[in-house]
Amino acid sequence: MKRLICVFLTVAFGVQAAVAASAQDYVRAVEKINDQYKKDTRDFFNTLDPMQRGFNAQQQQRFCAIVTKYADDLYAAADQNRTVIDRQYAGITKEDVKKQVLDAREMQMLKPYNVQCDWK
């Protein structure tokens, strides 16, 4: 009986450790995605004229590509880790992620520039 309990506890702790490792992998993936997004947007904004009051078509297209990649990468990370993320996020859809990105404070600050990303 003691042997059976030891085997059960060993398996249970092994599964728990695997889930914890997966959750940590998810957190690291999101941190990496955020860092890349910050770098990409910083590089983009550094190319702009500080006096301009809006994006031209090419700049808007480039910026939207950065934001789209960010949302897609966040969704992919969540989708690949649905079993280890919190229940309230496990059912997140791509549209939910896009809405969260568009509702972010950084994106709201760009409203005066009339940035319109067409996500299909």
Side-chain angles (χ1 to χ4, degrees), residues 45-56:
F45 285 116
N46 284 336
T47 66
L48 301 179
D49 178 357
M51 302 307 288
Q52 79 182 67
R53 295 288 173 228
F55 295 166
N56 64 33

Side-chain angles (χ1 to χ4, degrees), residues 45-103:
F45 285 116
N46 284 336
T47 66
L48 301 179
D49 178 357
M51 302 307 288
Q52 79 182 67
R53 295 288 173 228
F55 295 166
N56 64 33
Q58 183 182 10
Q59 291 167 335
Q60 182 161 315
Q61 183 179 13
R62 184 170 164 221
F63 182 75
C64 288
I66 292 168
V67 174
T68 299
K69 181 180 181 337
Y70 176 61
D72 288 346
D73 290 350
L74 286 175
Y75 175 74
D79 193 41
Q80 293 169 359
N81 293 283
R82 287 188 190 278
T83 58
V84 297
I85 58 177
D86 194 73
R87 283 186 205 186
Q88 73 184 58
Y89 300 112
I92 199 164
T93 66
K94 198 172 218 179
E95 293 305 314
D96 294 333
V97 173
K98 288 177 181 179
K99 181 174 178 2
Q100 288 177 3
V101 169
L102 290 176
D103 290 345

Side-chain angles (χ1 to χ4, degrees), residues 28 42 63 76 97 113:
R28 276 190 228 110
R42 185 174 42 249
F63 182 75
V97 173
Y113 293 98

